[in-house]
Amino acid sequence: MSNPINRFPNPVLPGDHPDPSVVRVGSDYYVVTSTFQYFPGVMIHHSRDLVHWKPIGHVITRRSQLDLTGVPDSHGVFAPDISYYDGKFWVVVPYFHGQPRCTNVLYVADCPEGPYSDGIVLNHHFIDPSIFNDDDGRRYLAFGGGWVQELAGDGSRLVGEPKQVWPGTGGSTPEAPHILKRSGWYYLLLAEGGTAFGHKETIARSRSVWGPYEPCPLNPVLTQRDPNKPLQKAGHGKLVDDPHGNWWMLHLGGRPLTPNGSTPLGRETFLEPVRWTDDGWLEVGDSGEPAEWIELPAGMERLPDQHTYAVDAVNALDETDRFTEPRLSPVWEWVRHPLQDSFRLTGEGLELDCAPYSLYVPGETLLLTRRWEHFAFEAEVRLSFEPQTLGEEAGLLLYRDMDGMLLVSIRNGIGQTAGQKLDVSRLHEKQEYDGLYLQIDRSEKCFRNQLYQQKLEVAIGTDIWLKTRLDAINRRFTFTYSTDGVKYEPIDLTVPADFLYPENFARYKCYTAPRVGLFALGVMYQPQGKALFKQFTYRGQTD
């Protein structure tokens, strides 16, 4: 256990990976996490050691499975649960739409990466459903508030009436129930206190799935008591054993910049060792607090081609996507559904039409995103832009939600025709110009504020490189651009990153973390140009 090669930092899934649910099948582990308004929905990762994870796909890959059109920010896919039964993978998803609560929907697949079936609606109740498969063949659905109801063996419907078997220890919002059977005891885990500071994991047990349940005398079994510690918000956990008889808990947490402060990387996935006590209870993490470092026992096997998330959390990461595969990498997710027939993988890159849509309406978009995984990173995009209409734009995107984004764009023309204001004091003067312009806009509360603009002396269709860097110390973005990919011109502008943090939401409480990506945008009722994205690079840094 002391071999430094087997010592890794928490979190094991840095960035926007909240509400983890894990299942082991043989020597393979699979975890699903929440994706809210993003599509494809419910990201799936695979691992053989619980530390190094590789994204392998999504559960919701078709609009017919779940239509996210019109879903507000931080609504949609809440905490999913994955289980394995009768040779199939079962993922139950709470679809939070606020009418008035949510709908719990079940998806089934033969392979963990899918494709998954169309959804089976189970009930309209509280969030965070999970499936428990008993050793007598009976199945149950647990959902938030400590409720349990029997599930038909084929998963087609719920049976009988629900029963609230244990509401927790009195903390607010008892959610994320998971049932485990061990040594004749049924253990019910709940997350209490809400998903921010004060979050905690509690547990109770019973000789019957229906109760009565006896609370653990060690409750909460996981929480963070010290606001000065780097790992906070611990809760929403699920237990899993490994082939060697060791037990673990995957749970969500966050890393604030200051005590009780902002968490730029949002809610992340952490791993904790679990020890069963002689009296049948359990101890989690570092004496009930999240551990900063994880030590794996000998024999835990890592996949050779994995995206090494845990190592990358403290070491540099350099990933380039040239969009030459037949499908987008699973790291990419659209903001809701992409506009139909408006993007394609050509073999030379990702081509986006400059199609019209609103940045501020929860509809279809051409905003493609991936997670921030580091407190400091560089993001770079290479594109060629062939517009057809004044006002079309394409480029680099830094995105929190509809109320907070930063757009680094190549624009076709400036002026009122291109969607900008005129200076009404300038009479009889030309204020509209053709050609390509580099522009940086900060968008907040449905309003774009131009921060920078300059004319580019390049021909339409020329390759252009746009780069931004987030500094971990001053927490500001800087920008450069290039027309040859070698010599980069600095832009005389820095932008503080804090307006993109989840805590600075404007309308809807923000459950998602900032992302980086690319976009194209056109003009209503006008011919549509195209942007070909030939390369996107993410470089995570340690400082």
Side-chain angles (χ1 to χ4, degrees), residues 63-64 79 129 163 190 202 210 216 284 312 395 434 441 475 480 522:
R63 190 184 302 223
S64 62
K163 180 180 179 181
L190 285 177
T202 60
W210 298 110
C216 175
V284 182
D312 296 337
D434 297 333
D441 291 349
R475 302 164 193 164
T480 56

Side-chain angles (χ1 to χ4, degrees), residues 21-285:
S21 173
V22 62
V23 67
R24 178 175 67 86
V25 181
S27 60
D28 297 290
Y29 305 90
Y30 302 96
V31 67
V32 292
T33 50
S34 302
T35 47
F36 297 92
Q37 70 267 32
Y38 291 94
F39 178 86
V42 188
M43 182 179 273
I44 310 161
H45 285 84
H46 174 220
S47 177
R48 288 219 177 105
D49 65 2
L50 290 167
V51 168
H52 302 90
W53 294 90
K54 178 182 180 181
I56 60 172
H58 292 79
V59 173
I60 298 169
T61 57
R62 308 180 303 278
R63 190 184 302 223
S64 62
Q65 293 174 290
L66 192 69
D67 194 337
L68 298 170
T69 305
V71 170
D73 294 329
S74 289
H75 289 58
V77 174
F78 270 38
D81 173 68
I82 187 169
S83 58
Y84 184 74
Y85 175 82
D86 194 28
K88 297 180 183 296
F89 292 86
W90 307 71
V91 177
V92 60
V93 171
Y95 173 37
F96 185 73
H97 43 63
Q99 303 173 7
R101 295 297 298 174
C102 77
T103 299
N104 295 316
V105 186
L106 177 62
Y107 302 91
V108 188
D110 295 323
C111 302
E113 66 274 19
Y116 281 79
S117 67
D118 286 340
I120 301 168
V121 174
L122 294 179
N123 66 358
H124 305 278
H125 214 284
F126 201 52
I127 58 174
D128 300 1
S130 70
I131 293 176
F132 167 62
N133 301 303
D134 207 343
D135 51 18
D136 63 0
R138 303 186 80 166
R139 312 182 72 192
Y140 302 89
L141 183 75
F143 40 96
W147 290 77
V148 175
Q149 188 170 359
E150 188 168 353
L151 176 68
D154 62 1
S156 61
R157 68 195 187 284
L158 292 171
V159 179
E161 296 297 322
K163 180 180 179 181
Q164 189 178 29
V165 298
W166 185 59
T169 62
S172 65
T173 55
E175 343 177 275
H178 292 292
I179 299 175
L180 166 76
K181 191 173 185 181
R182 182 179 183 270
S183 301
W185 288 102
Y186 293 86
Y187 293 87
L188 173 59
L189 285 88
L190 285 177
E192 300 185 50
T195 188
F197 301 102
H199 205 195
K200 57 187 176 182
E201 192 71 24
T202 60
I203 191 169
R205 69 183 181 188
S206 172
R207 290 296 185 182
S208 166
V209 70
W210 298 110
Y213 279 84
E214 167 197 2
C216 175
L218 302 175
N219 278 333
V221 294
L222 179 67
T223 192
Q224 181 55 270
R225 299 170 177 85
D226 185 350
N228 296 299
K229 294 287 185 67
L231 309 186
Q232 298 287 331
K233 304 184 179 182
H236 201 113
K238 187 176 182 182
L239 296 167
V240 66
D241 63 341
D242 66 33
H244 308 285
N246 305 299
W247 283 81
W248 307 87
M249 178 183 284
L250 280 173
H251 68 93
L252 74 77
R255 291 178 289 168
L257 297 172
T258 58
N260 298 315
S262 297
T263 52
L265 299 182
R267 298 178 301 153
E268 307 172 277
T269 290
F270 295 76
L271 176 69
E272 308 296 340
V274 172
R275 184 180 71 86
W276 291 94
T277 61
D278 293 339
D279 58 357
W281 292 110
L282 50 78
E283 297 176 347
V284 182

Side-chain angles (χ1 to χ4, degrees), residues 390-393 411-420 432-433 523:
L390 290 177
E392 292 182 320
E393 59 182 317
R411 295 181 57 91
N412 183 36
I414 58 172
Q416 191 171 21
T417 303
Q420 297 172 319
E432 299 189 74
Y433 300 91
V523 179

Side-chain angles (χ1 to χ4, degrees), residues 226-531:
D226 185 350
N228 296 299
K229 294 287 185 67
L231 309 186
Q232 298 287 331
K233 304 184 179 182
H236 201 113
K238 187 176 182 182
L239 296 167
V240 66
D241 63 341
D242 66 33
H244 308 285
N246 305 299
W247 283 81
W248 307 87
M249 178 183 284
L250 280 173
H251 68 93
L252 74 77
R255 291 178 289 168
L257 297 172
T258 58
N260 298 315
S262 297
T263 52
L265 299 182
R267 298 178 301 153
E268 307 172 277
T269 290
F270 295 76
L271 176 69
E272 308 296 340
V274 172
R275 184 180 71 86
W276 291 94
T277 61
D278 293 339
D279 58 357
W281 292 110
L282 50 78
E283 297 176 347
V284 182
D286 184 3
S287 300
E289 295 185 356
E292 295 181 42
W293 292 86
I294 299 298
E295 292 188 2
L296 294 182
M300 294 288 275
E301 181 185 1
R302 171 183 165 185
L303 291 174
D305 62 340
Q306 284 175 284
H307 179 133
T308 54
Y309 271 114
V311 176
D312 296 337
V314 293
N315 295 326
L317 168 65
D318 193 333
E319 286 191 345
T320 295
D321 193 338
R322 294 181 173 83
F323 304 109
T324 55
E325 298 296 323
R327 298 179 181 177
L328 286 171
S329 164
V331 303
W332 292 107
E333 292 167 356
W334 301 92
V335 178
R336 298 177 185 84
H337 300 284
L339 281 164
Q340 189 173 3
D341 301 325
S342 292
F343 77 97
R344 59 206 64 86
L345 291 160
T346 66
E348 297 181 355
L350 172 63
E351 187 176 72
L352 300 185
D353 294 335
C354 292
Y357 58 93
S358 172
L359 293 170
Y360 312 120
V361 173
E364 299 174 330
T365 71
L366 288 174
L367 307 176
L368 184 62
T369 70
R370 58 157 294 156
R371 292 153 178 82
W372 299 5
E373 298 171 27
H374 301 74
F375 290 103
F377 66 85
E378 281 186 354
E380 181 181 13
V381 66
R382 176 187 178 186
L383 74 154
S384 63
F385 185 37
E386 297 188 6
Q388 294 292 318
T389 297
L390 290 177
E392 292 182 320
E393 59 182 317
L396 187 63
L397 174 72
L398 295 153
Y399 189 87
R400 185 194 67 222
D401 54 27
M402 290 186 294
D403 292 314
M405 66 189 88
L406 195 62
L407 302 107
V408 184
S409 60
I410 307 299
R411 295 181 57 91
N412 183 36
I414 58 172
Q416 191 171 21
T417 303
Q420 297 172 319
K421 294 182 179 179
L422 288 175
D423 182 351
V424 296
S425 66
R426 295 168 59 189
L427 301 179
H428 308 292
E429 294 183 33
K430 182 178 180 181
Q431 295 184 45
E432 299 189 74
Y433 300 91
D434 297 333
L436 299 184
Y437 287 78
L438 172 58
Q439 184 166 309
I440 300 176
D441 291 349
R442 172 172 168 164
S443 179
E444 288 184 278
K445 300 179 182 179
C446 302
F447 182 80
R448 287 179 72 163
N449 179 31
Q450 180 184 309
L451 304 179
Y452 179 87
Q453 186 183 84
Q454 81 168 76
K455 180 74 178 293
L456 294 176
E457 301 299 336
V458 296
I460 286 177
T462 300
D463 282 3
I464 301 172
W465 288 255
L466 303 174
K467 183 189 296 187
T468 186
R469 182 180 188 273
L470 175 61
D471 185 276
I473 305 302
N474 64 27
R475 302 164 193 164
R476 300 179 74 90
F477 290 106
T478 55
F479 310 91
T480 56
Y481 75 97
S482 175
T483 56
D484 60 10
V486 178
K487 181 181 178 181
Y488 285 78
E489 301 294 335
I491 295 173
D492 186 19
L493 175 72
T494 66
V495 179
D498 58 353
F499 84 101
L500 294 176
Y501 295 168
E503 290 76 13
N504 293 328
F505 60 89
R507 285 181 290 178
Y508 308 106
K509 187 172 183 179
C510 186
Y511 292 117
T512 59
R515 300 185 176 210
V516 61
L518 51 88
F519 79 102
L521 181 60
V523 179
M524 189 75 70
Y525 311 124
Q526 296 298 312
Q528 296 178 10
K530 302 180 187 299

